[in-house]
Amino acid sequence: MRPSSITSHRGVGKWGLPAILICGLAVFSASGLHQLISWETVARHYAEISYFIEQNRATSFFGFVLCYTVVVAFSLPIASLLTLAAGALIGWPAIGLIVVAATTGASLVFIAARGLFRDVLCARAGPFFTKLEAGFTKNSFGYLLFLRFLPVAPFWAVNILPAFSGMRLAQFI
């Protein structure tokens, strides 16, 4: 028999990350931040942002990675804007920063999907995921690369789908 402290801790782990991700997406949509983050804002403040990045390179890189990780983890619809803005503002180092941040954010979504949402999403999106899941049984890694590079499925779905197929986190990363 398990002690009650282990059971309650396991429930927090199962619900914690998914609850945070859902709340973050809801706050982003309800707060109007999607209107604040736009090409107009970047263009209007381009000189100030560039100057700040130039003077505080390490802080800027760390802040960008943290921001981009949150955007990917919450599946916010501004990742493309951030990618292009980072290229314009940071330059070539943005490529490495984006890869690290996107991998971290996608891994958080993968972990959340493998925990709480597995049964719920399989029940609701069964036919959609069944079509895509067949490829994971043959060659998980190759199929994940195929889905990443070709716009066959939305990015958020590509982060969730491998969790249902039994892919390990290390292989996903």
Side-chain angles (χ1 to χ4, degrees):
M1 209 153 162
R2 295 182 180 200
S4 62
S5 64
I6 293 175
T7 306
S8 65
H9 177 66
R10 185 176 243 178
V12 170
K14 184 175 182 179
W15 289 89
L17 182 60
I20 290 169
L21 295 178
I22 289 173
C23 288
L25 181 57
V27 166
F28 178 78
S29 298
S31 68
L33 281 173
H34 60 285
Q35 295 171 349
L36 176 67
I37 302 171
S38 67
W39 279 117
E40 293 173 21
T41 305
V42 172
R44 194 173 331 125
H45 300 287
Y46 182 82
E48 294 91 359
I49 297 169
S50 293
Y51 181 75
F52 180 82
I53 291 171
E54 196 175 297
Q55 298 302 315
N56 306 294
R57 199 167 272 304
T59 304
S60 299
F61 286 6
F62 178 75
F64 174 75
V65 168
L66 186 62
C67 179
Y68 200 93
T69 299
V70 168
V71 166
V72 172
F74 290 130
S75 299
L76 303 178
I78 60 167
S80 298
L81 170 72
L82 284 180
T83 301
L84 296 173
L89 293 164
I90 297 173
W92 288 105
I95 295 170
L97 299 174
I98 290 167
V99 167
V100 167
T103 301
T104 305
S107 297
L108 291 171
V109 173
F110 177 86
I111 292 167
R114 191 168 54 179
L116 171 70
F117 294 133
R118 182 181 182 126
D119 297 333
V120 174
L121 288 173
C122 280
R124 297 196 59 62
F128 175 73
F129 286 127
T130 303
K131 290 178 188 174
L132 293 174
E133 191 175 23
F136 280 104
T137 57
K138 297 175 185 167
N139 181 1
S140 299
F141 183 72
Y143 195 62
L144 180 61
L145 285 178
F146 169 77
L147 290 175
R148 285 265 188 247
F149 291 131
L150 295 175
V152 176
F155 187 72
W156 60 267
V158 175
N159 292 335
I160 293 171
L161 186 62
F164 302 145
S165 69
M167 181 181 261
R168 295 182 336 267
L169 178 61
Q171 191 177 18
F172 177 79
I173 291 172

